[in-house]
């Protein structure tokens, strides 16, 4: 069965600092991978997705993620964090048979210090 | 586009009562998902529909939970009877099948 691990429950960074959120997945074939963001009291919003091709994918709000098959990882990065990036971030893996059936990680809460 | 619409936004009920959560997906989307979010268990997929047909309900916790999608523009998730452990945020999401899910704002359910 597919699974996702986000080892960091909570991360605090200063505004303007770089950010990397870790995600490791378990899946038998080439996975579909996603990062979603959830602001307080809201549903989740897609930041970016990887299906195939270039292993470095660009998303909205200046985020990017790199798929590394050898490490079963799909880490999310941003070179300079803004205070408005404070939120919870979820990594997810999709079933290649049904791309939309996603399994989510437990999330990483990002706090940004001004 | 109004996005995925869920109602009610908040629901407080007493143990044993029936609870019905409602969802209107984005027009043109052919897949609909119900998720439950709790601090302890994170985001759990309860059930999903494709073209109004339930495809996988293996995440539905027990027989007290049921979901229907009578047409492409409406779905319900019902809990009968409700229990305090059902307290959670319930999200509905829809998709065109591309892997991008569009989530509603959720229903915060509290069962006393």
């Amino acid at each position: 069965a597919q699974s996702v691990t986000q080892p960091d429950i909570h991360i605090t960074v200063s505004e303007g600092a770089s950010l990397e959120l870790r995600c490791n997945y378990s899946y038998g074939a080439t996975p579909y991978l996603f990062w979603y963001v959830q602001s307080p009291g809201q549903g989740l919003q897609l930041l970016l997705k990887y299906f195939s091709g270039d292993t470095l994918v660009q998303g909205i709000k200046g985020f990017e993620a790199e798929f590394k098959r050898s490490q079963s990882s799909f880490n999310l990065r941003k070179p300079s964090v803004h205070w408005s990036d404070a939120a919870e971030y979820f990594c997810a893996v999709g079933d290649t048979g049904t791309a939309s059936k996603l399994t989510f990680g437990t999330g990483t809460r990002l706090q940004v210090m001004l | 586009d109004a996005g995925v619409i869920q109602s009610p936004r908040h629901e407080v009920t007493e143990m044993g009562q029936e609870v019905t959560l409602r969802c209107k997906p984005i027009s043109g989307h052919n897949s609909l998902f119900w998720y439950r979010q709790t601090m302890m268990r994170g985001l759990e997929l309860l059930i999903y529909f494709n073209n109004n047909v339930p495809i996988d309900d293996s995440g539905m916790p027990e027989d007290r939970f049921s979901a229907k999608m009578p047409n492409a523009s409406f779905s319900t998730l019902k809990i009968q009877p409700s229990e305090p452990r059902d307290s959670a945020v319930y999200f509905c999401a829809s998709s065109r099948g591309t892997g991008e899910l569009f989530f509603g704002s959720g229903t915060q359910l509290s069962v006393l």
Side-chain angles (χ1 to χ4, degrees):
Chain A
Q2 60 202 45
S3 66
V4 175
T5 301
Q6 293 181 248
D8 303 307
I9 297 173
H10 186 209
I11 283 183
T12 300
V13 299
S14 298
E15 189 174 37
S18 64
L19 172 70
E20 182 169 26
L21 302 183
R22 296 183 290 166
C23 171
N24 292 97
Y25 68 89
S26 174
Y27 190 73
T30 300
Y32 295 159
L33 295 164
F34 307 82
W35 275 99
Y36 282 79
V37 61
Q38 184 180 28
S39 297
Q42 299 297 317
L44 282 69
Q45 179 188 19
L46 181 69
L47 282 176
L48 47 80
K49 62 185 178 184
Y50 171 79
F51 280 9
S52 64
D54 193 346
T55 57
L56 184 63
V57 294
Q58 303 296 321
I60 62 172
K61 305 184 181 185
F63 286 91
E64 67 178 25
E66 186 171 13
F67 170 58
K68 293 185 177 179
R69 184 190 303 276
S70 61
Q71 298 176 20
S72 298
S73 69
F74 189 57
N75 295 348
L76 181 71
R77 302 193 294 247
K78 187 170 184 177
S80 178
V81 170
H82 188 262
W83 64 267
S84 60
D85 294 325
E88 187 139 21
Y89 292 80
F90 292 90
C91 182
V93 60
D95 188 312
T96 52
T98 308
S100 295
K101 184 183 175 185
L102 304 184
T103 299
F104 286 88
T106 51
T108 297
R109 181 165 297 279
L110 174 65
Q111 183 176 0
V112 180
M113 293 192 304
L114 300 177
Chain B
D1 195 331
V4 176
I5 299 174
Q6 291 187 246
S7 65
R9 191 69 200 274
H10 301 275
E11 176 79 40
V12 180
T13 190
E14 292 187 348
M15 182 174 63
Q17 297 298 306
E18 177 179 294
V19 175
T20 299
L21 311 181
R22 297 173 176 80
C23 175
K24 177 179 170 56
I26 293 173
S27 177
H29 284 191
N30 61 346
S31 297
L32 183 139
F33 304 80
W34 283 100
Y35 281 88
R36 178 171 67 176
Q37 186 176 38
T38 61
M39 289 292 292
M40 292 298 295
R41 300 174 69 92
L43 269 165
E44 303 173 276
L45 176 63
L46 300 178
I47 185 172
Y48 83 92
F49 296 83
N50 197 44
N51 295 322
N52 311 338
V53 176
I55 302 299
D56 185 350
D57 65 355
S58 59
M60 296 286 262
E62 47 197 274
D63 292 345
R64 298 185 296 106
F65 286 69
S66 62
K68 294 182 179 180
M69 192 165 186
N71 56 63
S73 60
F74 184 65
S75 177
T76 59
L77 178 68
K78 186 174 294 186
I79 308 172
Q80 166 64 18
S82 59
E83 297 182 2
R85 59 190 169 126
D86 302 330
S87 298
V89 181
Y90 291 81
F91 287 104
C92 175
S94 69
S95 170
R96 281 189 292 260
T98 60
E100 179 171 6
L101 270 60
F102 291 80
F103 282 78
S105 296
T107 295
Q108 174 78 58
L109 174 64
S110 297
V111 183
L112 307 177

